[in-house]
Amino acid sequence: NACVKLKTKQQNEGINLYPPYDKVRIAKQQCRPDSIIGTAECISVNWQSLMKHTINRICTMLEDEIDKMFESSSSGIEMEFISSYGFDGTTNQSRYNQQLDKNINDSGIFVTAMVPLRLQKDDEIIWTNTMAQSTRFCRPKKIQFIKETTEHVLAEKKANDDEISELEPIIFELPSGKLIFNPSDFIKH
């Protein structure tokens, strides 16, 4: 196998470029929220899991800054996580020779996505998404093989707004203290 030969040659030269696959697999799993549900025509994640995962990833990135905030607070810190969500649809996609159910038309794709905008404590901004229009921080919530129509957009908006109204607080227990995110601060339209 060419990959094994290349890895062996590099290791013999003292170069270790390729981490063990178990570590790669674990790192990839950390990049996905829990509760992903998939069918032939749709894949989605619930808002609670998506928000918790996104906040966790941002807080992991800001670990040092968050630890400093706990130096002046012995109890939990309430923070605001502000994000936005929207829809995008495309039609007349290239059709591929995939074996799909006869009732599924893969020429139209409809996506519901969330974009994190800001993390703040009171009026102090801890993190801001400087590329809010970029796909870098775009978090897909739902991807469907369906044509975008006004009726579908309105139905998806209502379903998402209903699910968002049911969100529960997200609490992270850290070694330095407790971070609390209240659902009323999550989504801004």
Side-chain angles (χ1 to χ4, degrees), residues 16 22 29 34 63 74 98 124-125 132 142 162 174 176:
N16 190 9
D22 285 347
Q29 286 175 337
D34 296 329
E63 189 174 343
S74 59
Q98 297 200 20
E124 179 187 357
I125 296 173
K142 189 174 193 180
D162 290 348
L174 305 172
S176 49

Side-chain angles (χ1 to χ4, degrees), residues 85-97:
Y85 82 92
F87 311 106
D88 194 14
T90 182
T91 54
N92 298 323
Q93 293 291 104
S94 296
R95 303 285 315 268
Y96 295 98
N97 294 326

Side-chain angles (χ1 to χ4, degrees), residues 65-187:
E65 291 89 338
I66 290 171
D67 284 343
K68 288 177 189 172
M69 292 183 341
F70 280 109
E71 291 172 2
S72 61
S73 173
S74 59
S75 62
I77 295 176
E78 288 196 28
M79 297 183 75
E80 293 178 77
F81 175 70
I82 300 168
S83 62
S84 180
Y85 82 92
F87 311 106
D88 194 14
T90 182
T91 54
N92 298 323
Q93 293 291 104
S94 296
R95 303 285 315 268
Y96 295 98
N97 294 326
Q98 297 200 20
Q99 300 297 321
L100 296 173
D101 187 342
K102 292 178 182 176
N103 298 329
I104 300 172
N105 182 348
D106 64 348
S107 67
I109 299 175
F110 187 78
V111 177
T112 304
M114 182 268 289
V115 177
L117 299 174
R118 189 169 55 243
L119 186 67
Q120 64 188 44
K121 179 183 176 287
D122 301 322
D123 290 331
E124 179 187 357
I125 296 173
I126 311 300
W127 174 83
T128 299
N129 182 352
T130 57
M131 298 179 283
Q133 300 300 319
S134 168
T135 57
R136 180 174 179 208
F137 284 106
C138 181
R139 313 289 290 188
K141 198 254 183 236
K142 189 174 193 180
I143 302 172
Q144 302 168 300
F145 285 137
I146 193 167
K147 183 178 179 183
E148 179 181 19
T149 64
T150 303
E151 295 80 22
H152 185 69
V153 170
L154 294 173
E156 283 294 316
K157 176 156 180 23
K158 181 177 179 352
N160 279 284
D161 288 345
D162 290 348
E163 188 179 345
I164 289 166
S165 71
E166 301 289 323
L167 288 174
E168 298 175 4
I170 294 174
I171 300 170
F172 290 108
E173 298 280 347
L174 305 172
S176 49
K178 188 187 299 187
L179 285 179
I180 304 162
F181 297 88
N182 290 310
S184 61
D185 301 323
F186 290 160
I187 305 288

Side-chain angles (χ1 to χ4, degrees), residues 37-54:
I37 301 167
T39 65
E41 66 269 350
C42 177
I43 188 161
S44 66
V45 63
N46 66 51
W47 276 110
Q48 190 75 35
S49 293
L50 183 62
M51 299 304 270
K52 183 176 182 179
H53 178 75
T54 302

Side-chain angles (χ1 to χ4, degrees), residues 20-38:
Y21 184 73
D22 285 347
K23 289 185 178 183
V24 172
R25 184 179 43 78
I26 290 167
K28 287 171 96 175
Q29 286 175 337
Q30 291 173 343
C31 294
R32 287 193 296 256
D34 296 329
S35 306
I36 296 175
I37 301 167

